Amino acid sequence: MDPQVSFDNLPQAVKLLHQKLEVVVSKLDNIASQNSKQKEHTFIGVDEAAALLGISKASIYSKVYHNVIPYYKSGGKLYFSKQELLQEILSRRYPKQEETPPPKQREFETKATGS
């Protein structure tokens, strides 16, 4: 693009800029989709799973034995989906969002209603 943009050539400069921007956006979309595909298929071993969860390898094996965490087994080795492990952690949030309010709030509500 010519560094000297004047009022006369402004429409052409904007058109060129728009075309280049479309190319950049297209390339960014491709990179983003490749990254999301890679994340979907990120498998880790026992050592990495233990480090990710902050527990010992023995705890990992215990959780696998009791089917507490999702795992895959191939050729006698254990594999874990990093995303599935993180999802498992997130699904065990306490207190649950749909639970009743804490006792102090319920106490206030009963006083307010006069019951």
Side-chain angles (χ1 to χ4, degrees):
M1 186 165 145
D2 186 16
Q4 296 296 328
V5 177
S6 67
F7 184 76
D8 294 331
N9 66 0
L10 187 61
Q12 293 84 11
V14 169
K15 182 178 179 180
L16 182 60
L17 183 61
H18 187 264
Q19 290 171 345
K20 288 186 177 188
L21 184 60
E22 285 179 347
V23 170
V24 170
V25 168
S26 173
K27 288 182 180 183
L28 286 174
D29 287 343
N30 286 339
I31 291 170
S33 68
Q34 288 174 354
N35 285 343
S36 67
K37 287 178 186 176
Q38 287 175 352
K39 287 180 183 177
E40 290 174 9
H41 303 291
T42 302
F43 289 95
I44 57 176
V46 175
D47 292 327
E48 293 173 84
L52 177 69
L53 299 178
I55 59 177
S56 68
K57 285 173 53 174
S59 294
I60 291 289
Y61 287 118
S62 174
K63 290 179 184 302
V64 166
Y65 179 77
H66 295 306
N67 291 318
V68 174
I69 57 175
Y71 66 93
Y72 300 88
K73 195 169 184 179
S74 177
K77 292 186 178 184
L78 290 173
Y79 298 96
F80 305 90
S81 166
K82 189 173 182 178
Q83 287 66 38
E84 287 178 0
L85 287 178
L86 293 173
Q87 184 70 29
E88 186 68 24
I89 291 170
L90 293 173
S91 72
R92 297 182 185 271
R93 180 185 183 277
Y94 292 97
K96 297 286 185 187
Q97 299 241 343
E98 56 270 356
E99 287 183 0
T100 58
K104 288 183 180 178
Q105 288 180 347
R106 284 188 293 163
E107 182 180 318
F108 175 75
E109 289 169 359
T110 56
K111 286 181 183 178
T113 59
S115 348

